[in-house]
Amino acid sequence: MTTDEPLIVLLVEDNLAHAEMVIRNFQDHQVPNKIYHVLDGEAALDFLYHRGRFSDPTTSPRPHVILLDLRLPKINGLQVLQEIKTDETLLSIPVIILTTSEAERDLTMAYQNHTNSYLVKPIDFAKFTQLINDLGLYWLSWNRQP
Amino acid sequence: MRTQFSFGWLYGVARLTMSAEITSPTNPGSWIGTGLFLLAAVLLGVLAYFLISRFINAMRKLEANVKEHEKLVSLQQAVFDAAADGILAVDHTGKITTFNRKFTEMWNIPETLITSREDAQIVAFVLQQLENPAEFLARIKALYAHPQDEGDDLIKLKDGRIFERYTQPQRLGDDIVGRVWVFRDVTAQKSTEEALARERNLLRAVVDTLPHIVFAKDSAGRKILANAGDQTAMGVKSEAEALGKTDFEIYPYEKAARFAAEDRAVLEEGVVFESESTYVDTSGQRHWLSGSKRPFRNEAGEIIGLVGVFHDITPLRQAEIEREALIADLEAKNAELERFTYTVSHDLKSPLITIRGFLGFLEQDALNGRIDQARHDIELISDAANKMQQLLDELLELSRIGRLRNPPQAVSLSELAREAAELVAGQLMARGVEVEIAPDMPTVVGDRPRLREVFENLLGNAAKFMGTQPHPRVEIGVRYDKDEPQPVIYVRDNGIGIEPQYHEKIFGLFEKLDATSEGTGIGLAIVKRIIEVHKGRIWVESEGHGRGSAFCFTLPQS
C-alpha cells in the first residue's frame, strides 16, 4: 500500500447522524481515505458482491476495512458479518463492529463470527473523536494487510 | 352281659335235667312191668335226648347270634360315641331314646342329668343355651306335625357357637317310630366363612371406592370384575351388564382388538403391561389413562386371568398442558422483555450519542466561525432530541396496550375500518390512495379505540410504502381460509411489497426496512401487540418487491 492511494472504508450505518460523525472525524485524519457509506445490511452485501446498484467495481471497490453497525434494517450486522467471514474472497477484510450495544450476547456472537474488533460508540464527544482517530491510525496506518 | 348270663343259666338247668333223667333210679316191679317201663324209659329217654339236644343246639345257635348281635351293638355304640356330631334320638312321643357322648359334650349336659334321664330337664337345659329358644321349639313342633319331614338349619347359641341341626324320621319298616337329630358344631366353619365374606366385602368396597378403573378378566378375556370406574369407561350401567363379556362385545372393534392384543401378552407370556393412553368418552371428553395389566395365577402358578388397574390422569395431564402453555407464555414474555430492553437501550442511546457528538462539532464550528455548519449541527441535535421524545412517547404507548384497556364492546369491523380511513384521510389523499372497504366484515368484541388503531396504522403504512405505484389502492375485507377456523381480515395494498425474508422482522420493535423512511419503526409492533392482546394472530403476505402486501389478522369472535 502506498500513501498516495487512499484507503477505502466501507461504513455500514443506518443512523445518518452517526455516519456523519464518523465521516467528519475521518476527514480530519492525516491518512488519505475514502469512505463509502451504506444504510443497511443488504446494501452492504450488495456493495461487497457488486450486486444491483453497486455492480460497477470502480464505484464499489473492495474495502480495506469495514465499519459495521449491528442493528440494521433488513439484514442485521451479525448476519452481514457471518456472510463475510464464511466467504473465502471476503474473510480477509478486517471487520470492525461499531455499535451502541454493550450487550454481552452481541459481543460474544460477534467474536464467534470472527469479528476483528468490537467497539462501542462512546456517548462523550471527546472520546468518540479519540476512538475514531485511534481506529484510523491503527487500522489504516499501523496495520498491515495482504 | 346280663342276657348272656341268663342264657347260661338256662343251659345249665337243661343239662342238669338231662343228666338226672339218664341217671335216675328205676322203680322196682315185674319184669314186664320193668321191661315196659324200661322200654318206655328208653323211648322217652331217646325222645328226651333228641329234644334236648335239639334244644341245646338251638340254644347254642341263639347264644352265638346273640354274641354276634352284642358285637354289632357295641360297635354301633362305639361308632355312635365316636361320631363327630352330636346325635339324639327320640321316640314318636318325643321321649328320648338315646344320645351319644358328643351330644352331651356339645350341650354341656351334666352327668347327673344324663343318668337321671329326665327328658324335660334335658330339653330345658338345651333350650336355656339357645339364643332363640322359641324358634327352636316352633321348629320341633312343626316337625311333630309332619313326622315324615327331613330338614336342616342353623341354630345359634348364647355362647356364640353355631350348630348345624339335621333331623330325619326314624323308620321301622314303613312306620315312623321316632326322630333322629344330628348336631354339628359349625362355629369355626361359619366364622371362617364370615371372615371370608367380610374380607371379600372389604376388598370390594376398596375396589369400588378407588378413583381408578379396576377390572379382572378370565383367561378367555371375559370380564369377571368391573368396578364403578370401569363401568363408566365401558359405558354400562351395572357390573352385571359387563360380566362374562369380552371387550369385543363392549367396545368398538378396533379398540377391542387393541385391548385383546395387550391381554394376550399378559395371559400368554405373563408379562406386566404398562401403558399411558388416551381416549374420548361417549360424551366427547378426552381422557388420559395411565395404568397396567398383570396376570393373576392359581395355586399351581398357572395364569388364570388378568387384573387391570387404570388411573384417569386427565386433570393431571390438563394441568401439565396448562403449565406448559403458561411456561411457554412466560418464556415468550421474558424473551420479549429482553428484546425490548435491548432495543430500548440501543435506540435511546443512539440519539444521545448524536446530541453529544454534534454539540462537540458545534463547539468547533463556533471556534472556527463556521455559521452554516453550526446551523446544520444544531438541526441534527434538534432532530435527535425530537426522535428521543418520540421514542419515549411510543414506548409508553406500547406499554399501555394490554395494561390500560377500554371496556370490551361489540365492534363492526367494516364500520371501524371506515372510521380509521377517515382519520388518516390526509395521508391517503396526499398519496392519492383509493380505499375500498368490504361491508360484510364480521363483528367482534374488543377494545374499540385500539382496534381502530390497527386499521389506522395499516392504512398509514400502505400509503407510506406505495412507492411509484401510479394507481395506489388499498382493499380492506374478509376471507375464509380452509385451514383457519377464524375469518381472516386483510388490508391489501399494491405498494412496494416486502421480501419474504423480512416478513417476521417488520413486526419487531423499532424495526425499519428502510433507514431513511419516516417514523421509528414502532407502528407494526403496536399493531401486533393490539391483535395479540385480543388473542388474535397477525402476519403479512407479499410475494416480494413491487408486488404489494396484504396484512392479515384474525380476531376470535365471541
Side-chain angles (χ1 to χ4, degrees):
Chain A
M1 113 187 48
T2 52
T3 45
D4 51 345
E5 202 177 308
L7 286 161
I8 294 155
V9 176
L10 174 64
L11 173 64
V12 190
E13 173 62 79
D14 65 323
N15 187 314
L16 293 171
H18 288 192
E20 191 180 325
M21 284 167 71
V22 173
I23 293 165
R24 270 165 82 164
N25 274 303
F26 261 108
Q27 275 166 359
D28 300 339
H29 207 267
Q30 59 266 49
V31 183
N33 58 69
K34 190 163 170 50
I35 297 180
Y36 292 83
H37 176 212
V38 292
L39 289 168
D40 59 60
E42 195 179 69
L45 290 172
D46 287 349
F47 184 94
L48 292 169
Y49 288 116
H50 309 297
R51 290 188 298 227
R53 61 190 167 101
F54 304 106
S55 56
D56 183 357
T58 55
T59 53
S60 310
R62 181 184 167 94
H64 292 100
V65 149
I66 300 168
L67 290 181
L68 182 64
D69 192 6
L70 282 183
R71 205 173 140 74
L72 293 168
K74 297 183 182 173
I75 301 171
N76 72 36
L78 272 179
Q79 284 172 284
V80 174
L81 175 67
Q82 218 162 17
E83 192 99 2
I84 293 168
K85 293 302 180 186
T86 50
D87 185 322
E88 284 285 336
T89 63
L90 299 176
L91 60 78
S92 63
I93 304 171
V95 178
I96 299 149
I97 300 292
L98 183 61
T99 176
T100 52
S101 173
E102 290 176 83
E104 189 68 30
R105 199 186 46 187
D106 282 340
L107 188 65
T108 312
M109 288 302 289
Y111 277 104
Q112 270 175 3
N113 285 292
H114 314 290
T115 185
N116 298 81
S117 184
Y118 189 102
L119 303 172
V120 179
K121 295 173 188 168
I123 293 173
D124 185 82
F125 177 66
K127 283 184 183 160
F128 194 97
T129 308
Q130 178 78 47
L131 179 101
I132 300 301
N133 281 338
D134 292 350
L135 173 101
L137 198 66
Y138 180 86
W139 287 105
L140 304 181
S141 304
W142 293 114
N143 194 47
R144 292 288 177 98
Q145 285 186 41
Chain B
M1 279 311 125
R2 204 168 356 139
T3 326
Q4 193 182 10
F5 173 76
S6 49
F7 280 116
W9 175 80
L10 253 174
Y11 178 60
V13 170
R15 289 287 288 258
L16 277 174
T17 313
M18 193 163 64
S19 53
E21 296 271 352
I22 294 163
T23 56
S24 68
T26 56
N27 267 340
S30 68
W31 68 272
I32 295 168
T34 308
L36 277 173
F37 175 78
L38 278 172
L39 186 68
V42 167
L43 282 172
L44 207 68
V46 169
L47 185 68
Y49 178 78
F50 179 73
L51 284 172
I52 286 166
S53 60
R54 276 201 65 175
F55 177 74
I56 288 166
N57 269 344
M59 274 309 173
R60 278 187 181 144
K61 246 186 192 160
L62 190 61
E63 191 178 10
N65 275 348
V66 165
K67 268 192 174 162
E68 202 55 40
H69 178 72
E70 288 259 315
K71 251 165 92 183
L72 206 62
V73 166
S74 91
L75 179 68
Q76 274 172 354
Q77 184 67 38
V79 169
F80 195 52
D81 279 341
D85 299 334
I87 301 165
L88 170 75
V90 294
D91 67 15
H92 64 284
T93 64
K95 197 169 164 47
I96 293 173
T97 337
T98 185
F99 48 78
N100 69 350
R101 194 159 39 223
K102 188 71 187 175
F103 177 78
T104 62
E105 281 169 16
M106 282 172 75
W107 292 101
N108 301 311
I109 299 169
E111 199 64 30
T112 50
L113 205 59
I114 296 166
T115 45
S116 77
R117 288 241 163 198
E118 288 291 340
D119 284 6
Q121 282 183 34
I122 291 173
V123 169
F125 193 82
V126 163
L127 282 176
Q128 69 168 9
Q129 295 180 57
L130 295 172
E131 213 173 73
N132 193 346
E135 193 187 65
F136 186 84
L137 281 173
R139 176 89 179 116
I140 288 176
K141 223 173 178 176
L143 283 169
Y144 281 125
H146 306 279
Q148 74 283 1
D149 278 7
E150 289 182 19
D152 62 314
D153 55 0
L154 289 178
I155 48 178
K156 284 184 177 167
L157 276 71
K158 283 175 181 163
D159 63 7
R161 285 183 297 161
I162 299 164
F163 291 170
E164 191 177 69
R165 178 177 57 178
Y166 172 73
T167 181
Q168 72 168 51
Q170 185 190 356
R171 289 171 204 269
L172 201 63
D174 289 339
D175 297 330
I176 292 172
V177 295
R179 178 167 285 282
V180 176
W181 300 83
V182 179
F183 299 91
R184 176 172 292 179
D185 189 339
V186 292
T187 313
Q189 188 194 328
K190 283 291 155 196
S191 71
T192 309
E193 274 173 21
E194 269 172 27
L196 276 174
R198 227 177 7 251
E199 203 171 320
R200 202 170 46 234
N201 288 343
L202 175 70
L203 282 176
R204 185 70 216 200
V206 169
V207 159
D208 280 337
T209 312
L210 279 175
H212 296 359
I213 291 171
V214 181
F215 60 82
K217 293 174 185 174
D218 66 13
S219 55
R222 289 181 294 247
K223 274 275 159 74
I224 52 175
L225 184 149
N227 79 339
D230 192 35
Q231 289 163 31
T232 311
M234 290 185 290
V236 299
K237 286 183 191 69
S238 70
E239 185 180 29
E241 225 179 292
L243 291 186
K245 285 184 185 165
T246 67
D247 285 342
F248 289 96
E249 297 162 82
I250 297 165
Y251 294 114
Y253 180 82
E254 208 172 292
K255 199 174 185 179
R258 180 159 55 84
F259 290 161
E262 296 166 5
D263 292 356
R264 256 198 310 282
V266 177
L267 293 169
E268 286 169 16
E269 289 153 47
V271 296
V272 174
F273 173 82
E274 294 195 51
S275 81
E276 202 164 285
S277 61
T278 176
Y279 74 95
V280 177
D281 71 10
T282 44
S283 70
Q285 203 209 328
R286 178 162 288 281
H287 291 264
W288 280 270
L289 289 182
S290 166
S292 62
K293 292 191 243 192
R294 57 185 69 226
F296 78 88
R297 299 163 190 273
N298 62 13
E299 281 173 6
E302 296 152 347
I303 295 171
I304 53 166
L306 62 83
V307 174
V309 178
F310 286 85
H311 182 196
D312 193 330
I313 54 165
T314 306
L316 196 77
R317 185 48 58 89
Q318 277 168 344
E320 249 171 50
I321 289 170
E322 216 167 285
R323 196 192 61 196
E324 273 161 26
L326 282 173
I327 289 172
D329 191 40
L330 212 61
E331 276 172 353
K333 283 219 167 85
N334 211 25
E336 196 186 314
L337 194 71
E338 219 170 274
R339 266 199 314 277
F340 183 79
T341 319
Y342 170 81
T343 310
V344 166
S345 68
H346 177 279
D347 286 86
L348 286 180
K349 213 167 133 189
S350 280
L352 199 60
I353 291 169
T354 306
I355 291 166
R356 294 285 291 270
F358 281 88
L359 279 172
F361 285 134
L362 190 61
E363 202 181 339
Q364 290 174 355
D365 298 338
L367 288 172
N368 301 334
R370 290 191 296 214
I371 300 299
D372 281 356
Q373 189 68 48
R375 202 168 279 140
H376 166 78
D377 294 345
I378 289 168
E379 199 182 307
L380 281 183
I381 292 167
S382 174
D383 284 352
N386 286 341
K387 172 88 181 280
M388 211 163 174
Q389 192 183 339
Q390 194 186 357
L391 284 171
L392 288 170
D393 288 348
E394 285 172 345
L395 280 176
L396 207 62
E397 175 72 7
L398 186 68
S399 79
R400 279 197 186 116
I401 301 168
R403 203 159 47 80
L404 295 175
R405 291 188 203 196
N406 300 299
Q409 51 180 301
V411 183
S412 154
L413 292 177
S414 296
E415 196 183 305
L416 205 65
R418 276 194 294 274
E419 263 178 49
E422 273 167 39
L423 284 165
V424 295
Q427 295 174 56
L428 294 169
M429 274 156 70
R431 187 60 190 83
V433 182
E434 184 192 328
V435 180
E436 191 189 312
I437 296 166
D440 60 346
M441 282 196 280
T443 294
V444 299
V445 173
D447 185 334
R448 196 169 199 282
R450 289 289 181 211
L451 290 174
R452 192 177 55 212
E453 241 177 279
V454 169
F455 285 116
E456 282 174 52
N457 256 300
L458 294 178
L459 280 167
N461 276 352
K464 200 155 111 187
F465 300 107
M466 269 305 169
T468 55
Q469 174 59 250
H471 306 291
R473 190 180 148 81
V474 178
E475 276 174 56
I476 302 179
V478 61
R479 63 170 205 236
Y480 298 88
D481 291 2
K482 215 186 289 168
D483 45 3
E484 174 64 57
Q486 309 281 349
V488 176
I489 313 298
Y490 60 85
V491 177
R492 189 190 296 135
D493 65 52
N494 55 358
I496 58 170
I498 300 155
E499 300 289 341
Q501 64 266 35
Y502 308 130
H503 285 185
E504 293 269 344
K505 191 170 170 144
I506 51 167
F507 292 102
L509 182 60
F510 302 134
E511 289 286 358
K512 290 164 71 179
L513 292 185
D514 179 4
T516 58
S517 69
E518 267 178 66
T520 57
I522 203 171
L524 285 177
I526 286 177
V527 166
K528 186 172 190 240
R529 184 99 184 96
I530 294 170
I531 297 293
E532 282 175 356
V533 162
H534 284 83
K535 307 226 177 300
R537 223 157 50 75
I538 183 161
W539 67 95
V540 68
E541 292 168 1
S542 173
E543 286 171 16
H545 198 76
R547 313 287 289 269
S549 336
F551 284 84
C552 307
F553 59 89
T554 59
L555 288 170
Q557 288 166 291
S558 48

